[in-house]
PDB file of all heavy atoms in Angstrom:
ATOM      1  N   THR O 616      12.180   6.958 -16.386  1.00 83.00           N
ATOM      2  CA  THR O 616      11.037   7.668 -15.800  1.00 83.00           C
ATOM      3  C   THR O 616       9.769   7.545 -16.674  1.00 83.00           C
ATOM      4  O   THR O 616       8.659   7.627 -16.178  1.00 83.00           O
ATOM      5  CB  THR O 616      11.324   9.146 -15.649  1.00 83.00           C
ATOM      6  OG1 THR O 616      11.962   9.596 -16.812  1.00 83.00           O
ATOM      7  CG2 THR O 616      12.211   9.415 -14.456  1.00 83.00           C
ATOM      8  N   LYS O 617      10.025   7.270 -17.940  1.00 83.00           N
ATOM      9  CA  LYS O 617       8.890   7.141 -18.848  1.00 83.00           C
ATOM     10  C   LYS O 617       8.112   5.887 -18.631  1.00 83.00           C
ATOM     11  O   LYS O 617       7.015   5.685 -19.128  1.00 83.00           O
ATOM     12  CB  LYS O 617       9.355   7.179 -20.286  1.00 83.00           C
ATOM     13  CG  LYS O 617      10.064   8.471 -20.664  1.00 83.00           C
ATOM     14  CD  LYS O 617       9.145   9.528 -21.177  1.00 83.00           C
ATOM     15  CE  LYS O 617       9.826  10.732 -21.671  1.00 83.00           C
ATOM     16  NZ  LYS O 617      10.388  11.526 -20.594  1.00 83.00           N
ATOM     17  N   LEU O 618       8.760   4.937 -17.938  1.00 85.00           N
ATOM     18  CA  LEU O 618       8.169   3.642 -17.830  1.00 85.00           C
ATOM     19  C   LEU O 618       7.872   3.313 -16.373  1.00 85.00           C
ATOM     20  O   LEU O 618       7.413   2.237 -16.049  1.00 85.00           O
ATOM     21  CB  LEU O 618       9.114   2.553 -18.376  1.00 85.00           C
ATOM     22  CG  LEU O 618       9.487   2.719 -19.856  1.00 85.00           C
ATOM     23  CD1 LEU O 618      10.630   1.840 -20.225  1.00 85.00           C
ATOM     24  CD2 LEU O 618       8.286   2.437 -20.711  1.00 85.00           C
ATOM     25  N   ARG O 619       8.142   4.205 -15.510  1.00 81.00           N
ATOM     26  CA  ARG O 619       8.068   3.914 -14.083  1.00 81.00           C
ATOM     27  C   ARG O 619       6.595   3.755 -13.638  1.00 81.00           C
ATOM     28  O   ARG O 619       6.356   3.157 -12.555  1.00 81.00           O
ATOM     29  CB  ARG O 619       8.715   5.014 -13.221  1.00 81.00           C
ATOM     30  CG  ARG O 619       9.721   4.418 -12.279  1.00 81.00           C
ATOM     31  CD  ARG O 619      10.612   5.525 -11.722  1.00 81.00           C
ATOM     32  NE  ARG O 619      11.960   5.464 -12.387  1.00 81.00           N
ATOM     33  CZ  ARG O 619      12.831   6.371 -12.196  1.00 81.00           C
ATOM     34  NH1 ARG O 619      12.605   7.423 -11.465  1.00 81.00           N
ATOM     35  NH2 ARG O 619      14.008   6.313 -12.841  1.00 81.00           N
ATOM     36  N   HIS O 620       5.714   4.175 -14.414  1.00 82.00           N
ATOM     37  CA  HIS O 620       4.289   4.047 -14.004  1.00 82.00           C
ATOM     38  C   HIS O 620       3.747   2.615 -14.159  1.00 82.00           C
ATOM     39  O   HIS O 620       2.698   2.305 -13.685  1.00 82.00           O
ATOM     40  CB  HIS O 620       3.422   5.002 -14.839  1.00 82.00           C
ATOM     41  CG  HIS O 620       3.417   4.688 -16.277  1.00 82.00           C
ATOM     42  ND1 HIS O 620       4.447   5.063 -17.121  1.00 82.00           N
ATOM     43  CD2 HIS O 620       2.563   3.984 -17.045  1.00 82.00           C
ATOM     44  CE1 HIS O 620       4.201   4.621 -18.338  1.00 82.00           C
ATOM     45  NE2 HIS O 620       3.053   3.961 -18.304  1.00 82.00           N
ATOM     46  N   ARG O 909      -5.264   4.438 -24.647  1.00 80.00           N
ATOM     47  CA  ARG O 909      -4.542   5.576 -25.158  1.00 80.00           C
ATOM     48  C   ARG O 909      -4.015   5.361 -26.582  1.00 80.00           C
ATOM     49  O   ARG O 909      -4.043   6.215 -27.424  1.00 80.00           O
ATOM     50  CB  ARG O 909      -3.364   5.898 -24.197  1.00 80.00           C
ATOM     51  CG  ARG O 909      -3.233   7.332 -23.824  1.00 80.00           C
ATOM     52  CD  ARG O 909      -2.359   7.479 -22.629  1.00 80.00           C
ATOM     53  NE  ARG O 909      -1.088   6.798 -22.852  1.00 80.00           N
ATOM     54  CZ  ARG O 909      -0.142   7.348 -23.627  1.00 80.00           C
ATOM     55  NH1 ARG O 909      -0.318   8.504 -24.211  1.00 80.00           N
ATOM     56  NH2 ARG O 909       0.971   6.717 -23.765  1.00 80.00           N
TER      57      ARG O 909
ATOM     58  N   PRO M  55       4.049   3.220 -22.989  1.00 86.00           N
ATOM     59  CA  PRO M  55       3.444   4.217 -23.923  1.00 86.00           C
ATOM     60  C   PRO M  55       3.869   3.850 -25.347  1.00 86.00           C
ATOM     61  O   PRO M  55       4.965   3.350 -25.524  1.00 86.00           O
ATOM     62  CB  PRO M  55       4.027   5.528 -23.505  1.00 86.00           C
ATOM     63  CG  PRO M  55       4.561   5.329 -22.139  1.00 86.00           C
ATOM     64  CD  PRO M  55       4.877   3.903 -22.001  1.00 86.00           C
ATOM     65  N   ARG M  77       6.100   9.474 -32.237  1.00 87.00           N
ATOM     66  CA  ARG M  77       6.014  10.695 -31.464  1.00 87.00           C
ATOM     67  C   ARG M  77       5.404  11.786 -32.340  1.00 87.00           C
ATOM     68  O   ARG M  77       4.717  12.700 -31.827  1.00 87.00           O
ATOM     69  CB  ARG M  77       7.445  11.101 -31.051  1.00 87.00           C
ATOM     70  CG  ARG M  77       7.542  12.247 -30.084  1.00 87.00           C
ATOM     71  CD  ARG M  77       6.962  11.886 -28.701  1.00 87.00           C
ATOM     72  NE  ARG M  77       6.900  13.100 -27.904  1.00 87.00           N
ATOM     73  CZ  ARG M  77       5.756  13.708 -27.597  1.00 87.00           C
ATOM     74  NH1 ARG M  77       4.638  13.233 -28.037  1.00 87.00           N
ATOM     75  NH2 ARG M  77       5.809  14.797 -26.801  1.00 87.00           N
ATOM     76  N   VAL M 153      10.289  16.796 -27.339  1.00 87.00           N
ATOM     77  CA  VAL M 153      10.129  15.482 -27.960  1.00 87.00           C
ATOM     78  C   VAL M 153      10.124  14.418 -26.868  1.00 87.00           C
ATOM     79  O   VAL M 153       9.393  13.423 -26.880  1.00 87.00           O
ATOM     80  CB  VAL M 153      11.241  15.210 -28.985  1.00 87.00           C
ATOM     81  CG1 VAL M 153      11.238  13.725 -29.432  1.00 87.00           C
ATOM     82  CG2 VAL M 153      11.016  16.038 -30.214  1.00 87.00           C
ATOM     83  N   LEU M 154      10.982  14.609 -25.892  1.00 87.00           N
ATOM     84  CA  LEU M 154      11.136  13.592 -24.843  1.00 87.00           C
ATOM     85  C   LEU M 154      10.202  13.896 -23.617  1.00 87.00           C
ATOM     86  O   LEU M 154      10.333  13.230 -22.616  1.00 87.00           O
ATOM     87  CB  LEU M 154      12.572  13.523 -24.380  1.00 87.00           C
ATOM     88  CG  LEU M 154      13.575  13.053 -25.446  1.00 87.00           C
ATOM     89  CD1 LEU M 154      14.942  13.071 -24.961  1.00 87.00           C
ATOM     90  CD2 LEU M 154      13.155  11.677 -25.959  1.00 87.00           C
ATOM     91  N   ALA M 155       9.343  14.875 -23.799  1.00 83.00           N
ATOM     92  CA  ALA M 155       8.484  15.196 -22.646  1.00 83.00           C
ATOM     93  C   ALA M 155       7.097  14.609 -22.808  1.00 83.00           C
ATOM     94  O   ALA M 155       6.138  15.166 -22.256  1.00 83.00           O
ATOM     95  CB  ALA M 155       8.396  16.689 -22.436  1.00 83.00           C
ATOM     96  N   PHE M 156       6.952  13.498 -23.474  1.00 74.00           N
ATOM     97  CA  PHE M 156       5.612  12.993 -23.749  1.00 74.00           C
ATOM     98  C   PHE M 156       4.927  12.434 -22.513  1.00 74.00           C
ATOM     99  O   PHE M 156       3.739  12.234 -22.501  1.00 74.00           O
ATOM    100  CB  PHE M 156       5.584  11.938 -24.843  1.00 74.00           C
ATOM    101  CG  PHE M 156       6.577  10.857 -24.670  1.00 74.00           C
ATOM    102  CD1 PHE M 156       6.197   9.714 -23.995  1.00 74.00           C
ATOM    103  CD2 PHE M 156       7.864  10.932 -25.205  1.00 74.00           C
ATOM    104  CE1 PHE M 156       7.098   8.705 -23.826  1.00 74.00           C
ATOM    105  CE2 PHE M 156       8.765   9.866 -25.035  1.00 74.00           C
ATOM    106  CZ  PHE M 156       8.389   8.744 -24.377  1.00 74.00           C
ATOM    107  N   ASP M 157       5.759  12.197 -21.528  1.00 63.00           N
ATOM    108  CA  ASP M 157       5.239  11.604 -20.321  1.00 63.00           C
ATOM    109  C   ASP M 157       4.097  12.420 -19.684  1.00 63.00           C
ATOM    110  O   ASP M 157       3.012  11.953 -19.511  1.00 63.00           O
ATOM    111  CB  ASP M 157       6.380  11.493 -19.338  1.00 63.00           C
ATOM    112  CG  ASP M 157       6.028  10.626 -18.187  1.00 63.00           C
ATOM    113  OD1 ASP M 157       5.430   9.616 -18.382  1.00 63.00           O
ATOM    114  OD2 ASP M 157       6.398  11.044 -17.033  1.00 63.00           O
ATOM    115  N   ALA M 158       4.437  13.652 -19.416  1.00 47.00           N
ATOM    116  CA  ALA M 158       3.493  14.540 -18.742  1.00 47.00           C
ATOM    117  C   ALA M 158       2.294  14.792 -19.601  1.00 47.00           C
ATOM    118  O   ALA M 158       1.122  14.775 -19.172  1.00 47.00           O
ATOM    119  CB  ALA M 158       4.178  15.856 -18.397  1.00 47.00           C
ATOM    120  N   GLU M 159       2.584  14.952 -20.878  1.00 47.00           N
ATOM    121  CA  GLU M 159       1.524  15.248 -21.830  1.00 47.00           C
ATOM    122  C   GLU M 159       0.530  14.095 -21.891  1.00 47.00           C
ATOM    123  O   GLU M 159      -0.670  14.312 -21.868  1.00 47.00           O
ATOM    124  CB  GLU M 159       2.201  15.420 -23.187  1.00 47.00           C
ATOM    125  CG  GLU M 159       1.377  16.074 -24.236  1.00 47.00           C
ATOM    126  CD  GLU M 159       2.147  16.197 -25.480  1.00 47.00           C
ATOM    127  OE1 GLU M 159       3.281  16.757 -25.468  1.00 47.00           O
ATOM    128  OE2 GLU M 159       1.677  15.683 -26.524  1.00 47.00           O
ATOM    129  N   ALA M 160       1.085  12.884 -21.874  1.00 48.00           N
ATOM    130  CA  ALA M 160       0.252  11.699 -21.965  1.00 48.00           C
ATOM    131  C   ALA M 160      -0.665  11.648 -20.729  1.00 48.00           C
ATOM    132  O   ALA M 160      -1.829  11.328 -20.847  1.00 48.00           O
ATOM    133  CB  ALA M 160       1.096  10.436 -22.010  1.00 48.00           C
ATOM    134  N   ARG M 161      -0.129  12.032 -19.614  1.00 47.00           N
ATOM    135  CA  ARG M 161      -0.948  11.934 -18.404  1.00 47.00           C
ATOM    136  C   ARG M 161      -2.054  12.964 -18.437  1.00 47.00           C
ATOM    137  O   ARG M 161      -3.117  12.737 -17.913  1.00 47.00           O
ATOM    138  CB  ARG M 161      -0.052  12.164 -17.156  1.00 47.00           C
ATOM    139  CG  ARG M 161       0.034  10.886 -16.349  1.00 47.00           C
ATOM    140  CD  ARG M 161       1.093  11.025 -15.314  1.00 47.00           C
ATOM    141  NE  ARG M 161       2.112  10.043 -15.459  1.00 47.00           N
ATOM    142  CZ  ARG M 161       3.337  10.183 -14.974  1.00 47.00           C
ATOM    143  NH1 ARG M 161       3.697  11.268 -14.402  1.00 47.00           N
ATOM    144  NH2 ARG M 161       4.228   9.266 -15.121  1.00 47.00           N
ATOM    145  N   ALA M 162      -1.716  14.078 -19.054  1.00 44.00           N
ATOM    146  CA  ALA M 162      -2.760  15.148 -19.072  1.00 44.00           C
ATOM    147  C   ALA M 162      -3.899  14.744 -19.961  1.00 44.00           C
ATOM    148  O   ALA M 162      -5.059  15.119 -19.711  1.00 44.00           O
ATOM    149  CB  ALA M 162      -2.127  16.438 -19.562  1.00 44.00           C
TER     150      ALA M 162
END
Side-chain angles (χ1 to χ4, degrees):
Chain O
T616 44
K617 300 271 185 288
L618 300 168
R619 232 165 258 171
H620 63 279
R909 226 164 53 76
Chain M
R77 189 68 187 108
V153 168
L154 295 178
F156 53 88
D157 191 43
E159 197 178 305
R161 248 171 239 155

